[in-house]
Amino acid sequence: MSITSGRSGLQWFLTGVRGIASLPAIILMSAFVGFSGFAVEAGIPLGQTVFMTGMVWALPAKVLLVGSILAGASLPAAFVTVTLSSIRMMPMVASLVPEIRTAKTPTWLLLLLSHFVAITAYVFTMERIQNVPREHRVAFFAGFAITVTSANIVLVALVYSTVSSLPAMLAGALFFLTPVYFLTSIWASTRDRAGHIAMIFGLALGPVFHQVAPEFDILYAGIVGGTLAFFADRAVRARRSRS
């Protein structure tokens, strides 16, 4: 019997907790520092910013929500934008749950832990899950996901009041940590060509739609960019199949 197979569920939970010191978690926390600056610039109160961190959790969805508020978008438009952003979590949940569940895992526990599924937690877990005994995978994921979420809630609460008193240059640098993390993490986690094409189209169309329809610029850029990427990817595949 290997050393790892003799460890208890609590030990595997604590192994997940120690993942807070990993590079993905540290990069994510630095991005949440930038999000704090973004929320301050947008005039979002401290309580709402902290609540948003825990309840929305996925950083891109929060950026879209705050961006919609800044753009003066209506509540339905902001709702649709954030919902479309969060739909991308469904494939992550669908692929992660079969890897961590057992026949005895309660459904309510899986539903609860699905709230913590985001890019960082998903990538961190999937890269390491094969080295964790199946009966302890839920504990391992819970240890990391709950810890990284809680740490960022505390971080946002502590940094929020500090960001407003920082020099403008430093505050601006922190502000840009969020979009940098957003772009690099999404690009790195995208496994197919269509996703990369969609990001390129979205970045190009964002400024255009901001001039045409500022209340719906993010939504339109996502829909149009994603549609163009879909057909562009099909055209590339058709050309390669013919050749």
Side-chain angles (χ1 to χ4, degrees), residues 102-143:
T102 67
K104 298 180 180 180
T105 306
T107 301
W108 67 264
L109 180 59
L110 294 173
L111 291 173
L112 175 64
L113 292 177
S114 67
H115 171 73
F116 301 97
V117 176
I119 291 175
T120 300
Y122 174 79
V123 173
F124 179 90
T125 303
M126 293 300 285
E127 287 179 346
R128 297 162 175 80
I129 202 68
Q130 298 304 323
N131 298 321
V132 182
R134 177 168 288 274
E135 64 270 20
H136 299 311
R137 291 179 180 181
V138 168
F140 175 78
F141 173 74

Side-chain angles (χ1 to χ4, degrees), residues 95-191:
S95 61
L96 177 64
V97 168
E99 294 292 332
I100 66 175
R101 74 181 305 176
T102 67
K104 298 180 180 180
T105 306
T107 301
W108 67 264
L109 180 59
L110 294 173
L111 291 173
L112 175 64
L113 292 177
S114 67
H115 171 73
F116 301 97
V117 176
I119 291 175
T120 300
Y122 174 79
V123 173
F124 179 90
T125 303
M126 293 300 285
E127 287 179 346
R128 297 162 175 80
I129 202 68
Q130 298 304 323
N131 298 321
V132 182
R134 177 168 288 274
E135 64 270 20
H136 299 311
R137 291 179 180 181
V138 168
F140 175 78
F141 173 74
F144 177 75
I146 294 174
T147 300
V148 76
T149 303
S150 302
N152 280 291
I153 291 174
V154 175
L155 178 67
V156 168
L158 295 176
V159 171
Y160 183 93
S161 59
T162 306
V163 171
S164 59
S165 61
L166 292 176
M169 184 66 70
L170 181 56
L174 293 175
F175 172 83
F176 277 103
L177 283 175
T178 298
V180 167
Y181 171 80
F182 175 79
L183 291 174
T184 55
S185 62
I186 295 296
W187 184 275
S189 63
T190 301
R191 303 304 181 187

Side-chain angles (χ1 to χ4, degrees), residues 57-95:
W57 177 226
L59 185 56
K62 288 194 288 292
V63 172
L64 290 173
L65 179 57
V66 176
S68 299
I69 294 173
L70 283 174
S74 63
L75 182 59
F79 173 80
V80 172
T81 301
V82 174
T83 300
L84 291 176
S85 168
S86 299
I87 286 176
R88 65 194 172 84
M89 302 299 175
M90 291 179 63
M92 296 184 190
V93 175
S95 61

